[in-house]
Amino acid sequence: MKGLFDQIAEGEKSICYIVSLPIERMTKLGYTNVNAKIRVSRFRFSHDLTGMEKDVVIVGEYETPMAKTIEHYAKKIADRKYDKVMDKNLGSGYTEWYFCSPLEMRSCVLNAFKYVRWDKRRITRQAEKAKKVVSKQLEFDL
């Protein structure tokens, strides 16, 4: 029998994904709650890029309940390191495309995982310190 969280996780598939378009080393970072292939099939480019949707390659998928958070921090890292494409012809989500290689974007994602784990440990340590302070305060209240 599956536990409660296993049951919830089955219904909530969150994926942080990296896709690439061969022209000019353009790489996109995003997250989705559906299969990455389905998400990519929904891309709708316009003008000069019309029809290039078929050239988009999925280069990385990271299934995690924290996909939205990982994407957020990975974008923060990418924003500091790489130029955004900012071409509205790339359709919705055009602000998530960067001029970098898939390996460079993968590095951003892996560093985001590292940061989230570090932040979680830091918050836990702060909570433990706060508990100690509260217990000391209670001791002095006698």
Side-chain angles (χ1 to χ4, degrees):
M1 184 168 150
K2 293 183 181 181
L4 174 63
F5 293 111
D6 290 331
Q7 293 171 5
I8 292 170
E10 275 183 12
E12 295 292 323
K13 187 176 193 178
S14 293
I15 300 170
C16 185
Y17 64 88
I18 300 171
V19 295
S20 181
L21 196 56
I23 59 170
E24 298 187 51
R25 287 183 10 149
M26 294 183 353
T27 305
K28 180 185 188 305
L29 171 65
Y31 90 95
T32 183
N33 291 325
V34 297
N35 184 294
K37 287 181 183 178
I38 292 170
R39 174 68 183 104
V40 170
S41 73
R42 295 178 183 161
F43 287 178
R44 296 292 173 252
F45 298 161
S46 61
H47 300 288
D48 296 344
L49 299 176
T50 301
M52 294 192 77
E53 299 91 344
K54 65 182 177 352
D55 297 331
V56 173
V57 177
I58 300 170
V59 293
E61 294 181 60
Y62 306 90
E63 188 173 334
T64 172
M66 300 183 308
K68 188 173 184 176
T69 303
I70 295 300
E71 180 211 30
H72 172 78
Y73 287 112
K75 281 183 186 175
K76 295 271 187 204
I77 296 166
D79 286 344
R80 287 177 172 81
K81 297 181 74 87
Y82 310 112
D83 292 328
K84 286 188 173 187
V85 177
M86 297 303 285
D87 185 343
K88 289 186 179 182
N89 293 328
L90 290 166
S92 65
Y94 73 94
T95 61
E96 298 170 339
W97 287 89
Y98 295 85
F99 287 115
C100 67
S101 73
L103 284 176
E104 290 168 325
M105 186 58 71
R106 181 176 183 265
S107 175
C108 294
V109 171
L110 295 178
N111 278 304
F113 272 106
K114 188 176 180 179
Y115 173 76
V116 167
R117 277 191 224 111
W118 170 83
D119 193 46
K120 191 174 166 183
R121 286 192 305 267
R122 182 179 61 86
I123 290 169
T124 302
R125 282 193 301 270
Q126 288 174 341
E128 288 171 359
K129 284 181 186 177
K131 284 180 187 176
K132 287 179 184 176
V133 169
V134 168
S135 67
K136 285 181 182 179
Q137 288 174 346
L138 292 175
E139 289 173 11
F140 294 123
D141 286 345
L142 296 175

